[in-house]
């Protein structure tokens, strides 16, 4: 890998559009990758290194000098080294005066140091214009040239001219600079690459808890109960039957939980009589991760659809069918055709298929390439109206699946009802509350509140005066 890096020739070393000279301190992974990319884009690159003679595998065309010599060659210096090694810069304070120092560093932990690395650098070298940039771009992505992940470069700094010079370099490298303001934003920018899918955390934990709970619940009802009461080994159910209950139940619960915060928000607005008060933090966060909750729900619905496909080829199902037929043939009997059962069976399957289709549609419209093509009203229509229709269809699918055995005391085992009955509690509650909220008298008040009307304008005044109790 590293050999390849040394062998790569800059594409445009003799480009007619010769760019300025840039100095990179540090010949590690990041310094080398950034240097190569810069050479390819026509910049002259001067590396600063502790050991200029010993630095090997650097891109051809780059010059390597000691740190103090390299500092004199350019007025933009990129520090491709870890914060822990910044100390030596204090010796170069004079030669760094008035220069642009670009801090690309990341830490190992969120808020590892009391101040951001860029602010620390600004304290170490007070005469330089420190700019934070490039920390969200990986050395590997720069080197492979694919940049599959984000091309966004968050840039911040107190000197606007310095910041714009760095943003121009980012643009020339084919990246997308985003101005984040003054150096005070550096802390947040340094935290970005350390966060692992922050919006997915809540949906992930919630779905794990739901899966584990329903798995244990179903295992008690269907495996342990059979073993204790009938001495029958039904452990094979743990592999397909029970997951094919747990997955759709999790999908349905999560789908209902996508629409529950909107209802709680509406109730809160009606209760307060104003929309000018902040929602509690937990509700805000819940509202913000609805997309992720919805997509996780879609994943579980997908699993349910695939597990359902294999039902007819399962050994247990084929055995039961064959055995039933032989038993009936030997007894010379047949079971009568029950039209109502046929209706219920076809209906729940049709409802499941339609619900799944709309579920997929919601997932497709949430892809940025699709959502960019529709205006916000169209997006809200799909996400909100068709989203509720999806919830109605999936809830109806489960209700009709329950059909005649629904709430039948004979299906209780150790007083525990079937799992899908528990799974219906949240979706049915959400639908009933939504039904109440869209009643004309309530909907009219809610619409007025959302248009800025206040039942008790005193609240807005106290909020404006900063005396709000929120
Ligand atoms: C597969 C799938 C994919 C999804 N993808 C996305 C996605 O890409 N992006 C996304 O955002 N969501 C996505 N979601 C989540 C969900 O579909 C949306 O958040 C949907 O808009 C929620 O509809 P709602 O009617 O509950 O909420 P909203 O229409 O957002 O309303 C919620 C609450 O916000 C408040 N509110 C609404 N309008 C106003 C107003 N004008 N003034 C003041 N307050 C107001 C009210 O209190 C209201 O009750 C997805 C869901 C699924 C299942
Ligand atoms: N690797 C990546 O993908 C990314 C890295 N970054 C940031 O870029 C910076 C550099 O990362 P990376 O290139 O991976 O790190 P490396 O450890 O590979 O390289 C760091 C370089 O710092 C120089 N250095 C200066 N003083 C010292 C010292 N006292 N001890 C050790 N090295 C020293 C060395 O260069 P020399 O021997 O020439 O003096 C060394 O090669 C870090 O702050 C990192 O957070 C940011 C985004 C992505
Ligand atoms: C392709 C579309 C779908 C088909 C063909 C389908 C089919 C089925 C079948 C055959 C069952 C009975 C499983 C069994 O006997 O164990 C079932 C149960 C169920 N389905 Fe679906 N379904 C579909 C989509 C959905 C969707 C989108 C949801 C909701 C998100 C959903 C929620 C449920 C629930 C909660 C159960 C009850 C699970 C249990 O306790 O057994 N289904 N579905
Ligand atoms: Fe490294």
């Amino acid at each position: 890998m590293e050999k390849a890096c040394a062998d790569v020739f800059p594409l445009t070393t003799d480009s007619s559009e010769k760019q300025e000279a840039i100095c990179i301190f540090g010949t590690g992974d990041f310094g080398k990758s950034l240097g190569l990319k810069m050479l390819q884009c026509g910049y002259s690159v001067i590396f600063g290194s502790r050991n200029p003679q010993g630095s090997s595998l650097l891109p051809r065309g780059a010059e390597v000098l000691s740190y103090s010599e390299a500092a004199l060659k350019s007025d933009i210096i990129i520090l491709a080294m870890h914060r822990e090694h910044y100390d030596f810069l204090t010796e170069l304070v004079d030669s760094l005066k008035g220069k642009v120092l670009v801090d690309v560093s990341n830490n190992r932990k969120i808020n590892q140091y009391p101040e951001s690395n860029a602010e620390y650098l600004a304290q170490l070298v007070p005469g330089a214009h420190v700019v934070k940039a490039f920390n969200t771009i990986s050395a590997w992505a720069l080197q492979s040239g694919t940049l599959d992940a984000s091309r966004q470069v968050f840039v911040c700094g107190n000197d606007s001219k310095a910041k714009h010079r760095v943003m121009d370099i980012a643009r020339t490298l084919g990246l997308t600079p985003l101005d984040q303001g003054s150096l005070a934003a550096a802390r947040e920018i340094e935290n970005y690459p350390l966060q692992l899918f922050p919006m997915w955390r809540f949906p992930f934990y919630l779905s794990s808890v739901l899966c584990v709970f329903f798995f244990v619940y179903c295992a008690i009802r269907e495996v342990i109960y059979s073993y204790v009461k009938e001495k029958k080994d039904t452990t094979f159910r743990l592999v397909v039957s029970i997951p094919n209950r747990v997955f759709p139940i999790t999908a349905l619960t999560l789908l209902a939980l996508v629409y529950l915060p909107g209802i709680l928000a509406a109730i809160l607005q009606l209760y307060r009589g104003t929309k000018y008060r902040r929602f509690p933090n937990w509700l805000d966060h819940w509202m913000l991760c609805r997309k992720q909750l919805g997509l996780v729900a879609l994943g579980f619905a997908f699993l349910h659809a695939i597990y359902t496909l294999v039902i007819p080829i399962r050994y247990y199902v084929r055995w039961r069918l064959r055995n039933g037929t032989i038993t009936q043939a030997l007894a010379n009997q047949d079971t009568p055709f029950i039209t109502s059962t046929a209706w219920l069976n076809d209906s729940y399957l049709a409802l499941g298929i339609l619900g799944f289709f709309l579920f997929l549609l919601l997932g497709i419209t949430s892809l940025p390439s699709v959502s960019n093509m529709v205006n916000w009203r169209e997006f809200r229509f799909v996400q909100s109206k068709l989203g509720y229709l999806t919830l109605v269809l999936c809830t109806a699918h489960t209700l009709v699946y329950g059909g005649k055995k629904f709430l039948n005391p004979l299906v209780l085992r150790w007083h525990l009802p079937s799992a899908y009955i528990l799974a219906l509690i949240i979706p049915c509650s959400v639908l009933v509350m939504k039904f109440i909220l869209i009643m004309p008298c309530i909907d009219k008040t809610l619409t007025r509140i959302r248009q800025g009307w206040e039942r008790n304008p005193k609240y807005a005044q106290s909020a404006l005066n900063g005396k709000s109790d929120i």
Side-chain angles (χ1 to χ4, degrees):
M1 184 76 193
E2 295 209 302
K3 188 163 185 331
C5 170
D7 288 343
V8 175
F9 258 117
L11 298 178
T12 50
T13 31
D14 55 358
S15 155
S16 50
E17 257 187 81
K18 195 77 187 164
Q19 307 273 7
E20 59 199 317
I22 310 271
C23 173
I24 300 177
F25 274 14
T27 54
D29 299 337
F30 195 71
K32 272 191 286 206
S33 309
L34 193 65
L36 176 64
K37 188 87 189 161
M38 287 184 157
L39 282 165
Q40 289 174 342
C41 294
Y43 289 99
S44 346
V45 175
I46 304 106
F47 280 101
S49 173
R50 286 170 301 171
N51 184 5
Q53 276 77 44
S55 297
S56 56
L57 304 165
L58 287 173
R60 275 189 223 176
E63 206 177 336
V64 195
L65 302 171
S66 68
Y67 285 126
S68 52
E69 287 168 323
L72 303 173
K73 293 274 184 164
S74 164
D75 53 357
I76 297 190
I77 298 164
I78 298 174
L79 295 178
M81 59 181 63
H82 295 279
R83 169 196 169 125
E84 291 75 13
H85 307 139
Y86 284 177
D87 307 349
F88 78 94
L89 293 169
T90 49
E91 294 157 24
L92 304 179
V93 164
D94 289 335
S95 43
L96 296 177
K97 211 169 224 134
K99 301 209 169 185
V100 180
L101 277 189
V102 186
D103 179 299
V104 302
S105 64
N106 286 316
N107 293 324
R108 286 183 309 278
K109 283 193 298 225
I110 287 185
N111 299 335
Q112 189 177 349
Y113 294 103
E115 74 289 89
S116 69
N117 298 349
E119 286 165 310
Y120 168 68
L121 178 63
Q123 286 164 21
L124 274 185
V125 195
H129 305 302
V130 174
V131 176
K132 179 91 208 175
F134 298 116
N135 68 313
T136 50
I137 301 289
S138 91
W140 181 84
L142 276 171
Q143 210 170 62
S144 64
T146 44
L147 280 175
D148 287 333
S150 173
R151 287 167 177 266
Q152 289 177 343
V153 176
F154 301 98
V155 185
C156 75
N158 292 338
D159 184 278
S160 133
K161 234 167 102 185
K163 193 162 60 177
H164 281 101
R165 284 182 72 181
V166 176
M167 289 172 72
D168 284 340
I169 296 175
R171 240 173 256 125
T172 311
L173 300 184
L175 305 168
T176 312
L178 291 172
D179 191 344
Q180 299 292 98
S182 75
L183 213 56
R187 195 184 189 83
E188 208 184 324
I189 297 179
E190 284 170 14
N191 283 341
Y192 286 149
L194 298 174
Q195 290 170 340
L196 204 59
F197 304 115
M199 283 304 172
W200 291 89
R201 217 171 287 155
F202 172 62
F204 174 77
Y205 287 132
L206 185 64
S207 50
S208 308
V209 168
L210 285 171
C211 279
V212 170
F213 172 77
F214 280 107
F215 191 85
V216 172
Y217 187 89
C218 293
I220 293 175
R221 274 194 87 239
E222 294 173 39
V223 179
I224 301 179
Y225 180 89
S226 301
Y227 187 74
V228 172
K229 292 280 173 178
E230 299 155 19
K231 289 278 172 283
K232 264 194 344 205
D233 178 4
T234 53
T235 41
F236 72 91
R237 291 191 144 267
L238 294 171
V239 188
V240 174
S241 305
I242 293 181
N244 199 26
R245 291 193 199 289
V246 174
F247 295 148
I249 285 173
T250 306
L252 185 62
T253 312
L254 291 179
L255 182 64
L257 291 176
V258 167
Y259 293 93
L260 183 58
I263 287 178
L264 296 180
I267 293 173
L268 215 59
Q269 288 178 334
L270 279 170
Y271 172 73
R272 291 168 167 177
T274 177
K275 68 166 183 176
Y276 297 111
R277 279 174 69 187
R278 270 192 49 144
F279 294 135
N281 279 342
W282 57 268
L283 187 56
D284 254 350
H285 184 74
W286 191 352
M287 297 267 259
L288 287 176
C289 63
R290 287 181 296 178
K291 171 177 177 166
Q292 287 75 8
L293 263 180
L295 291 173
V296 174
L298 176 60
F300 281 105
F302 230 117
L303 280 173
H304 169 50
I306 297 170
Y307 269 83
T308 298
L309 278 181
V310 304
I311 291 179
I313 57 168
R314 290 179 63 208
Y315 166 74
Y316 169 68
V317 174
R318 285 184 298 154
W319 172 84
R320 237 178 51 172
L321 211 67
R322 225 172 26 225
N323 219 36
T325 314
I326 295 169
T327 315
Q328 280 182 357
L330 291 176
N332 203 13
Q333 305 177 320
D334 70 348
T335 29
F337 181 82
I338 309 165
T339 312
S340 62
T341 304
W343 261 100
L344 280 177
N345 197 277
D346 280 2
S347 307
Y348 95 76
L349 288 174
L351 286 164
I353 292 167
L354 293 175
F356 187 61
F357 170 73
L358 286 186
F359 220 140
L360 278 178
L361 204 67
L362 289 182
I364 291 168
T365 46
S366 73
L367 294 172
S369 53
V370 179
S371 59
N372 287 341
M373 304 288 287
V374 293
N375 66 33
W376 71 268
R377 276 202 71 179
E378 292 163 340
F379 186 75
R380 278 280 299 269
F381 172 78
V382 173
Q383 289 295 336
S384 189
K385 301 276 190 305
L386 295 188
Y388 267 105
L389 187 56
T390 312
L391 183 59
V392 168
L393 288 171
C394 292
T395 309
H397 165 67
T398 314
L399 276 167
V400 179
Y401 161 71
K404 292 176 184 169
K405 54 188 191 295
F406 196 76
L407 295 183
N408 182 343
L410 288 179
V411 298
L412 292 182
R413 290 182 189 166
W414 282 329
H415 305 291
L416 300 176
S418 300
Y420 70 87
I421 295 184
L422 298 190
L424 281 166
I425 297 174
I426 301 177
C428 288
S429 313
V430 168
L431 291 177
V432 168
M433 285 192 280
K434 181 69 179 176
F435 183 73
I436 296 172
L437 285 176
I438 56 173
M439 305 249 263
C441 53
I442 298 179
D443 189 48
K444 224 170 81 184
T445 316
L446 191 61
T447 310
R448 280 179 72 195
I449 290 174
R450 287 185 185 162
Q451 285 169 348
W453 174 80
E454 285 177 284
R455 192 186 311 130
N456 189 355
K458 202 172 70 211
Y459 273 137
Q461 205 50 50
S462 63
L464 286 176
N465 294 341
K467 291 182 202 139
S468 159
D469 57 342
I470 329 152

